[in-house]
Amino acid sequence: MFHHFYDEKHIKGQGAISQDDLAQIIEHYQQNHHLLHAREWLEKAVQGSLSTNDVCLTFDDALLCQYEIALPVLESFDLSAFWFVYSSVITGGTENLEIYRKFRTVCFDNIDDFYESFFQTVASSKYQKTVEESLKDFSADEYLSQFPFYTNEDKRFRFVRDIALGVKAYNEIQNVMIREWKIDIPSFSSDLWMNKQQVFELHSKNHIVGLHSHTHPTALASLAAKGQRNEYETNYDTLNQLLNSASVTMSHPCNSYNNDTIEILNDLEIKIGFRSNMKEHPLTNLEFPREDHANIMERIAA
């Protein structure tokens, strides 16, 4: 599972890797596993004939850095992959998730400086008491324990973002911080996402483009069933219209889903879905596990 890449144009944010890093991961899996083209992996998954050694490559979020940095590496290895697209950003919209990530990367010396500023802003806001009360139940050892690459501060931030604040209040806090920097959002976000033509090109080159919700909520499972259905039906219809082909694959944004999500995906006749971690539990065809590239890089370096 891959997200962010960096080079001279694209910033080296938290968790981003280079072309050389990606090539090293591919070579590692070619030597130690059976690395399949996306369509072959999909066919075997649908048939129930995957071996324990069969693996594939997946990219989430329709990021421009993936198209410009990772795609040439895949082409040099003659490989195809799954690309999971949240559709609001390829139809001319913007979403706060990536804007906020870029903000904390380019406007602060390091992630800890951002966290310090973020929690100072929370402390001076009307949400101070709410966050303080919520943090009484927070345990860094237990929260997001299936993602070992997160530091305790990473976990604390994500807990406050998704649990203590929620979408509306979190956006308020972040927007207060961004206004202080007088950032022009259209210009600031112009290098973040692929456009429709680039997504279509992936499809035309025999990569598999799948669902990832419409606006990428970080806690999609907290939405009522109606809200989840709107996210996925809009995503499905947008990609169907663009590609002239019905998507049959998806990945769960931030690993957030519940029984409502599964029912909606079944209604859309999605055949294969991916989780965002390797946590063991009873799996269905909509919950294939994925290994984050950060864990892979750590094992390769060991």
Side-chain angles (χ1 to χ4, degrees):
M1 178 179 65
F2 298 97
H3 288 85
H4 297 91
F5 294 83
Y6 73 89
D7 61 6
E8 295 83 0
K9 173 182 175 181
H10 295 280
I11 57 173
K12 187 180 180 180
Q14 189 180 29
I17 62 175
S18 68
Q19 280 191 332
D20 288 344
D21 293 330
L22 176 58
Q24 187 178 14
I25 289 173
I26 290 174
E27 289 169 352
H28 169 79
Y29 272 87
Q30 286 181 328
Q31 293 168 5
N32 297 282
H33 298 77
H34 190 200
L35 183 55
L36 302 178
H37 287 276
R39 199 158 301 280
E40 182 182 0
W41 191 97
L42 174 61
E43 291 172 356
K44 294 183 72 171
V46 171
Q47 295 167 0
S49 61
L50 284 170
S51 75
T52 56
N53 210 35
D54 290 335
V55 296
C56 60
L57 304 175
T58 71
F59 297 82
D60 285 3
D61 298 346
L63 301 174
L64 182 60
C65 63
Q66 296 170 352
Y67 179 87
E68 295 186 341
I69 300 174
L71 181 59
V73 178
L74 267 61
E75 291 177 339
S76 72
F77 282 93
D78 190 29
L79 282 169
S80 60
F82 292 87
W83 305 77
F84 298 113
V85 171
Y86 62 104
S87 42
S88 62
V89 295
I90 65 166
T91 55
T94 61
E95 292 298 335
N96 289 328
L97 179 67
E98 289 301 324
I99 293 171
Y100 294 162
R101 181 185 185 277
K102 183 176 179 180
F103 168 66
R104 63 179 181 255
T105 300
V106 303
C107 295
F108 296 86
D109 289 338
N110 54 60
I111 193 65
D112 290 329
D113 284 351
F114 164 75
Y115 288 151
E116 181 180 357
S117 179
F118 173 79
F119 285 110
Q120 286 175 352
T121 306
V122 170
S124 61
S125 75
K126 63 183 178 182
Y127 302 108
Q128 176 189 8
K129 290 184 179 180
T130 300
V131 170
E132 286 180 352
E133 286 298 314
S134 294
L135 282 171
K136 291 179 180 178
D137 298 324
F138 170 71
S139 168
D141 290 336
E142 296 176 5
Y143 190 67
L144 298 177
S145 59
Q146 65 271 39
F147 298 100
F149 47 85
Y150 285 150
T151 67
N152 287 349
E153 279 300 287
D154 291 336
K155 294 178 180 181
R156 182 168 174 254
F157 166 70
R158 283 162 173 76
F159 177 85
V160 170
R161 179 189 70 185
D162 296 335
I163 307 300
L165 290 173
V167 174
K168 183 175 182 294
Y170 171 68
N171 287 347
E172 286 182 25
I173 296 295
Q174 284 279 32
N175 291 339
V176 166
M177 298 174 68
I178 285 177
R179 281 197 296 271
E180 292 177 355
W181 286 79
K182 297 179 173 59
I183 290 172
D184 177 67
I185 294 300
S187 174
F188 191 70
S189 62
S190 62
D191 63 348
L192 292 180
W193 297 287
M194 300 181 209
N195 57 38
K196 289 192 291 186
Q197 290 73 25
Q198 290 162 334
V199 172
F200 182 81
E201 182 183 338
L202 292 173
H203 173 72
S204 68
K205 290 184 174 181
N206 215 30
H207 295 267
I208 294 180
V209 177
L211 309 184
H212 201 50
S213 79
H214 183 59
T215 66
H216 201 299
T218 56
L220 187 139
S222 67
L223 300 180
K226 182 178 180 181
Q228 291 192 40
R229 185 171 293 277
N230 182 63
E231 282 285 336
Y232 279 112
E233 287 184 349
T234 304
N235 193 200
Y236 180 90
D237 291 342
T238 303
L239 292 182
N240 195 349
Q241 183 177 13
L242 171 62
L243 305 176
N244 196 27
S245 175
S247 295
V248 296
T249 66
M250 62 82 61
S251 69
H252 300 282
C254 297
N255 215 52
S256 183
Y257 65 97
N258 56 22
N259 290 336
D260 289 334
T261 323
I262 300 300
E263 180 179 347
I264 292 162
L265 295 172
N266 281 325
D267 289 345
L268 292 172
E269 300 184 348
I270 302 303
K271 295 179 180 179
I272 297 296
F274 290 91
R275 292 171 51 83
S276 298
N277 61 35
M278 298 293 288
K279 185 177 181 181
E280 293 182 4
H281 70 101
L283 294 174
T284 69
N285 269 11
L286 294 176
E287 299 172 281
F288 276 94
R290 290 188 295 173
E291 186 69 281
D292 191 281
H293 73 265
N295 295 330
I296 299 169
M297 292 293 296
E298 185 174 341
R299 287 202 299 271
I300 291 175

